Amino acid sequence: MRTYLRYINPLVALAVLALCVYAGSTPEESVFRLKAIMDGGFATYFLAKGLFCSAALFILGQLLLHLMDKNASNP
């Protein structure tokens, strides 16, 4: 579990962020444009969702890792 929280969880959080930014920046014509995010609408929604979900996943993983380390050191 510690290996997952230390190494895999940050990579998953980064992958979630990358997928959401990619989904937000590729509108209907399937061309990668970062300007699409600033136009508003669904692109901005996907950016906000990616930021929130990846940050929540990373912070929760770090919190669980800290709690596991704290419980392991106190018998």
Side-chain angles (χ1 to χ4, degrees), residues 39-75:
D39 291 340
F42 283 120
T44 307
Y45 166 76
F46 277 112
L47 176 67
K49 183 177 181 141
L51 288 173
F52 176 76
C53 291
S54 63
L57 184 64
F58 180 75
I59 291 170
L60 181 63
Q62 293 300 311
L63 178 68
L64 289 174
L65 183 63
H66 178 70
L67 288 175
M68 287 175 64
D69 288 341
K70 185 177 177 182
N71 288 338
S73 64
N74 291 337

Side-chain angles (χ1 to χ4, degrees), residues 1-14 16 56-58 60-62 64-65 68:
M1 183 71 171
R2 291 186 206 288
T3 303
Y4 171 77
L5 291 173
R6 221 172 250 138
Y7 301 111
I8 306 297
N9 190 36
L11 291 176
V12 170
L14 187 63
V16 166
L57 184 64
F58 180 75
L60 181 63
Q62 293 300 311
L64 289 174
L65 183 63
M68 287 175 64

